[in-house]
């Protein structure tokens, strides 16, 4: 029976897919974190502008 080699190949493919999905998830989390950092920077800049230009 040649089930064992097929199962091993399938396992390797599934491991590769799992690794790629982990990388994609990490990249997506990084993009979201970077976006939130920019939102905070913009809010701080607006706060500074309001502080200095307030009558």
């Amino acid at each position: 029976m040649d089930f064992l080699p097929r199962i091993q190949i399938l396992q390797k493919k599934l491991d590769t897919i799992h690794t790629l999905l982990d990388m994609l998830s990490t990249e997506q989390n990084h993009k979201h974190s970077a976006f939130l950092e920019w939102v905070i920077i913009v809010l701080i800049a607006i706060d500074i502008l309001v502080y200095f230009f307030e009558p």
Side-chain angles (χ1 to χ4, degrees):
M1 295 272 185
D2 62 330
F3 286 118
L4 187 59
R6 289 183 181 191
I7 291 174
Q8 290 173 344
I9 291 171
L10 183 59
Q11 185 63 41
K12 286 181 182 179
K13 288 181 180 182
L14 288 174
D15 289 342
T16 303
I17 291 171
H18 184 265
T19 302
L20 291 172
L21 287 175
D22 282 344
M23 290 170 49
L24 182 62
S25 175
T26 302
E27 179 66 23
Q28 190 66 27
N29 286 336
H30 174 70
K31 285 183 179 181
H32 184 70
S33 296
F35 172 75
L36 291 177
E37 288 174 8
W38 277 107
V39 168
I40 291 170
I41 290 169
V42 169
L43 289 174
I44 290 171
I46 291 171
D47 188 38
I48 291 170
L49 290 174
V50 168
Y51 177 77
F52 283 117
F53 293 109
E54 189 175 283

